[in-house]
Amino acid sequence: MIPKQQISISFSNLFLIAGSGFAILLLWHLRGLLVILMIAVVIASTLSPLVKSVEKIGFPRWLAVISVYLGLLFLITGISFLLGPTIISQIQNLLEKFPVYLEVLGSEIQTFMTQKGFTEPDVIEFINRLFNLQSLVSWTLRSSQQLLIGVGGLTRGIIGSVFNVILAILLSGYMLSGSKNLVKGIVSLFPVPWDERLEAQVIPVSQKMGGYIQGRLLVSFILGLAVSLGLKFLGLGEFALGLGTIAGITNLIPFFGPVLGSIPALIVAVAQGGWFFLWVLLLFVIIQNVETYVLDPLLVGSSVNVPPLYQLLGVLSGVQLLGILGALILPPWVAGGGVLLENLYVKPKLAAQKAATQQLDIPSKISQ
């Protein structure tokens, strides 16, 4: 007779399971606040080197944080006053003429298909539907809404988004001004020796996350400037600064951003006729290759050291969960998670394997 196995669950295990379930449920309901905290951590990690530089001059920590934030505010305000009106004017002009450019693009494609022998009515009707302005605008609005807010619906309109950004900036300032006490308070919740191990990882994780954002901002600025100058040199000065701004902003999104940023310029180039489209296409190919093989490895890859596949998964997951916002804030967290995985698991594992191998080699050397 086979004895029956008895499964005993202690009260502490039941309490742990219930507590874990409650924590997961609470985090789900507070996911909007978690996103704000994630943004605040990314901002704080990005600005931490500037705060430390100001602090070295002799400023107290809180004053260094205020000085950095005010300096950035004045810088952004000054650039907005200098270039903002021109950029807004060019983008408005571009939006007014864009329907005409789309019609030209549709007719060019229809002519090309006819020359190649695709004269079936179904094909022509498909092209007309594809470049139908009303359907294209409605599809663009639906896609843009999904891309902006993601599936989580964490942003509620423009006012809610602005409030969340302001709240994230305020939280990042608090994190920077009281970082030491904040870190000690968080790591004290973990048992020994994990409290000391986690505290030792705060600086390298912050450097990785901040280095990623700093690199992306610098690369995007260089790309936007190069696109603006290149389009102006080619003779498209009417929209050069606006299209360069669009290319620079979209380039903040890894992998897909450069392609998205080139589409408006290429559509405008088709309407110019002649060889202009090929020259603009060549300009973007050259700039994006320089970015991929020179700027990204030099300014982003060297500071992040995360495999491209993991970065791509981070971008896709961020877009799926939070839209464009997730594509910006999730890759730095992937970089920070890579630091924790390497320092808390990979390196100790390799060190343990090396120590075990050395212990096995000692008896063999003694016997010899």
Side-chain angles (χ1 to χ4, degrees), residues 27-146:
L27 290 176
W28 172 254
H29 285 287
L30 296 177
R31 60 191 185 276
L33 179 59
L34 289 178
V35 172
I36 296 175
L37 288 174
M38 291 175 66
I39 298 173
V41 170
V42 172
I43 295 174
S45 301
T46 305
L47 299 181
S48 180
L50 291 176
V51 173
K52 290 181 179 178
S53 299
V54 176
E55 194 177 9
K56 289 180 180 178
I57 300 176
F59 285 69
R61 181 76 177 183
W62 64 272
L63 186 56
V65 173
I66 295 176
S67 301
V68 168
Y69 277 77
L70 289 179
L72 290 175
L73 178 62
F74 289 146
L75 179 63
I76 294 173
T77 303
I79 294 175
S80 300
F81 275 115
L82 289 175
L83 301 179
T86 304
I87 294 173
I88 294 174
S89 175
Q90 290 189 4
I91 292 179
Q92 288 179 344
N93 191 19
L94 176 64
L95 291 176
E96 292 175 358
K97 295 183 178 180
F98 211 68
V100 179
Y101 295 150
L102 287 176
E103 291 181 1
V104 173
L105 177 61
S107 62
E108 290 289 339
I109 293 179
Q110 185 174 349
T111 302
F112 176 78
M113 299 291 287
T114 304
Q115 291 177 351
K116 297 300 180 181
F118 296 96
T119 57
E120 291 81 359
D122 294 338
V123 177
I124 303 300
E125 184 180 359
F126 172 75
I127 295 174
N128 292 330
R129 287 181 180 179
L130 183 63
F131 292 95
N132 180 268
L133 184 60
Q134 184 176 0
S135 62
L136 184 63
V137 169
S138 62
W139 176 83
T140 303
L141 291 176
R142 291 195 305 269
S143 302
S144 300
Q145 183 180 8
Q146 294 176 356

Side-chain angles (χ1 to χ4, degrees), residues 106-336:
S107 62
E108 290 289 339
I109 293 179
Q110 185 174 349
T111 302
F112 176 78
M113 299 291 287
T114 304
Q115 291 177 351
K116 297 300 180 181
F118 296 96
T119 57
E120 291 81 359
D122 294 338
V123 177
I124 303 300
E125 184 180 359
F126 172 75
I127 295 174
N128 292 330
R129 287 181 180 179
L130 183 63
F131 292 95
N132 180 268
L133 184 60
Q134 184 176 0
S135 62
L136 184 63
V137 169
S138 62
W139 176 83
T140 303
L141 291 176
R142 291 195 305 269
S143 302
S144 300
Q145 183 180 8
Q146 294 176 356
L147 189 60
L148 286 173
I149 66 175
V151 299
L154 300 176
T155 56
R156 301 296 181 184
I158 298 177
I159 297 178
S161 302
V162 172
F163 175 77
N164 290 339
V165 171
I166 294 175
L167 183 58
I169 293 174
L170 293 176
L171 286 175
S172 66
Y174 172 77
M175 292 177 182
L176 285 171
S177 59
S179 57
K180 294 182 180 180
N181 295 331
L182 184 62
V183 170
K184 289 182 179 179
I186 294 176
V187 299
S188 64
L189 300 175
F190 294 86
V192 178
W194 283 101
D195 53 349
E196 296 181 356
R197 294 178 182 175
L198 291 174
E199 186 176 2
Q201 302 307 315
V202 172
I203 293 179
V205 169
S206 176
Q207 290 175 345
K208 287 290 183 181
M209 296 178 69
Y212 177 88
I213 295 297
Q214 294 161 13
R216 285 243 63 89
L217 288 174
L218 184 56
V219 169
S220 297
F221 172 77
I222 295 173
L223 184 138
L225 182 61
V227 170
S228 297
L229 293 177
L231 292 177
K232 187 173 181 61
F233 175 78
L234 292 176
L236 200 61
E238 182 183 4
F239 305 120
L241 192 57
L243 291 172
T245 303
I246 294 173
I249 293 175
T250 57
N251 191 70
L252 291 171
I253 305 173
F255 301 103
F256 308 108
V259 177
L260 294 176
S262 65
I263 292 175
L266 293 175
I267 293 177
V268 173
V270 170
Q272 306 302 316
W275 289 86
F276 193 79
F277 172 79
L278 294 178
W279 287 115
V280 173
L281 178 62
L282 181 61
L283 172 67
F284 275 94
V285 169
I286 293 175
I287 292 176
Q288 290 178 10
N289 274 275
V290 171
E291 177 199 359
T292 302
Y293 297 106
V294 179
L295 296 179
D296 273 346
L298 184 63
L299 300 177
V300 181
S302 59
S303 60
V304 176
N305 197 24
V306 176
L309 177 60
Y310 296 159
Q311 294 186 43
L312 177 60
L313 292 177
V315 172
L316 294 177
S317 301
V319 171
Q320 181 65 23
L321 293 174
L322 303 171
I324 290 179
L325 182 63
L328 295 176
I329 67 171
L330 206 59
W333 281 90
V334 173

